[in-house]
Amino acid sequence: MSTQELPPPFALFRMVTGYYVSRAIHVAGKLGIADLLAEGPRGSDDLAKATGTHADSLRRVLRLLASAGMFVEEEDGRFALTPIGACLRSGVPGSMRAVALLFGGITQQAWGDLLHSVETGEPAFRRVFGMDSFEYMAKHPDEAANFDAAMSDFTKHIAVAVADAYDFSRFHRIVDIGGGDGTLLAGILTANSALAGVLFDLPHVAARAEEQIRELGLDGRCEIVGGDFFKEVPGGGDAYLLKHVIHDWNDARAIDILGICRRAMGAEAKLLIVEGVYPPRIDQSDESRGAAANDVNMLVCTGGRQRSEAEFRALYEAAGFRLTRIVPTWTPVKVIEGVGAQVRSAG
């Protein structure tokens, strides 16, 4: 029975206890249960021995996850993967293990103090961990590596969708601001063989991108530059790409970033923000739920926000740009194109 079919009190109870499943998924991901089941069903005693856990307790958690569709409990008591559970495997196409570790781990810890964000407008993450999320990642390399892996897993799908939806063939050199491990830029360069790229991020982040770019054979077409986008960004690009960068920041800081990009850009260069766009009205659709959930997650973790089309237009105008069009993709993100405010664009 779905939540909508339940009597209202029970439907609410299911919503309130939703974290039971997300925490259990995090534990299963941490223990590598899906990897252990990749070759076939196994019993909880066997799995407990392999993971160094308490067999009965592990079985109880696996049964909870079986009730949610992650695993199947077979007649002999062994557990097997479902297609959803298989996404918790590591190092396979479609893996969401790093995502489960990120959002079921430190992100969920920060959400535990959501009330602080609602009362103050400040990120709960800073109060919970004693520093902002960017500083935390810099000081915790294991968490930073998992964050990179989680974003890369998401971005692999986004890269294909963005390259399909937006025509990059008109450009010669694209600068990816805050490009992380280079997954998006690599996808775009792979789809456009005549295009050169620059990946720009904090020095310790940019360094992590070098190996991937080299392994993909793109190092001849992709320059990697470390720096701070609150100070300056590389010049010489005819397109400036920012994926899931602006939503990390409040309006004032977002305008600062865009203003610095504007100063580095030539008169005809394009600004391309790749993010979700908040729908005009929230309903119970997947689009609305995704937008609203991401928006509050930014409130909790970074102090940023997900913006509507009107809010993007205002942001662009404040930074000296004009929003020219919004290009949808088959993922939740869109390409929000802008040009310098004085430039006439053919679109």
Side-chain angles (χ1 to χ4, degrees):
M1 185 178 291
S2 71
T3 300
Q4 291 182 336
E5 294 169 335
L6 288 170
F10 294 100
L12 178 60
F13 180 75
R14 182 174 288 184
M15 293 179 188
V16 169
T17 57
Y19 68 92
Y20 289 4
V21 171
S22 62
R23 290 302 288 175
I25 291 171
H26 179 263
V27 168
K30 217 36 169 170
L31 295 174
I33 297 295
D35 289 331
L36 293 171
L37 294 177
E39 298 301 319
R42 296 175 71 168
S44 54
D45 288 349
D46 185 22
L47 291 169
K49 194 174 296 183
T51 57
T53 55
H54 185 260
D56 182 59
S57 300
L58 178 61
R59 176 174 176 266
R60 292 159 72 177
V61 171
L62 294 179
R63 296 188 89 187
L64 170 61
L65 292 175
S67 77
M70 293 286 298
F71 305 118
V72 172
E73 186 179 22
E74 300 191 332
E75 288 187 10
D76 61 3
R78 294 185 302 166
F79 292 90
L81 287 176
T82 66
I84 295 174
C87 296
L88 206 56
R89 290 179 60 193
S90 56
V92 296
S95 173
M96 295 289 279
R97 181 174 182 266
V99 173
L101 295 180
L102 173 62
F103 287 94
I106 57 173
T107 303
Q108 192 165 125
Q109 289 175 253
W111 271 75
D113 208 1
L114 173 61
L115 180 60
H116 173 72
S117 291
V118 174
E119 289 177 335
T120 66
E122 296 296 321
F125 192 103
R126 187 181 297 129
R127 174 165 151 145
V128 171
F129 293 100
M131 63 190 81
D132 69 33
S133 55
F134 304 103
E135 185 181 359
Y136 182 90
M137 291 298 175
K139 291 185 176 181
H140 294 81
D142 289 346
E143 290 284 5
N146 186 71
F147 177 85
D148 281 352
M151 295 303 102
S152 178
D153 288 340
F154 274 132
T155 306
K156 285 172 185 173
H157 302 291
I158 290 173
V160 174
V162 168
D164 283 347
Y166 190 88
D167 180 14
F168 288 92
S169 64
R170 74 186 85 175
F171 303 125
H172 301 287
R173 187 169 188 255
I174 183 170
V175 182
D176 187 357
I177 305 298
D181 72 351
T183 298
L184 178 60
L185 184 56
I188 293 170
L189 293 180
T190 299
N192 295 270
S193 59
L195 184 62
V198 178
L199 186 144
F200 180 81
D201 212 317
L202 292 169
H204 69 275
V205 177
R208 297 200 294 265
E210 291 182 1
E211 183 178 353
Q212 173 165 242
I213 295 297
R214 186 169 54 252
E215 286 178 354
L216 292 171
L218 295 170
D219 44 319
R221 289 198 285 138
C222 183
E223 180 185 0
I224 297 175
V225 179
D228 181 351
F229 54 47
F230 284 111
K231 296 178 179 177
E232 62 178 350
V233 299
D238 46 2
Y240 281 71
L241 181 70
L242 299 97
K243 182 195 74 70
H244 290 152
V245 170
I246 297 304
H247 79 169
D248 283 340
W249 304 95
N250 62 27
D251 286 351
R253 296 294 268 168
I255 291 167
D256 287 342
I257 296 167
L258 294 181
I260 287 167
C261 290
R262 182 73 188 93
R263 290 195 289 275
M265 292 168 63
E268 302 297 325
K270 302 273 190 183
L271 173 72
L272 307 172
I273 291 181
V274 177
E275 288 186 8
V277 177
Y278 214 119
R281 177 180 172 275
I282 290 295
D283 53 28
Q284 293 186 40
S285 65
D286 287 342
E287 180 187 13
S288 286
R289 187 181 186 282
N294 183 62
D295 184 44
V296 179
N297 190 50
M298 292 301 100
L299 168 67
V300 167
C301 292
T302 68
R305 65 190 308 126
Q306 183 150 329
R307 294 173 173 87
S308 66
E309 179 177 343
E311 288 169 327
F312 273 116
R313 288 189 183 280
L315 201 66
Y316 276 36
E317 182 178 347
F321 290 97
R322 178 168 53 85
L323 196 157
T324 49
R325 58 178 176 149
I326 295 179
V327 180
T329 75
W330 49 262
T331 72
V333 305
K334 297 176 170 60
V335 181
I336 305 150
E337 182 191 79
V339 296
Q342 78 282 7
V343 176
R344 293 288 176 189
S345 175

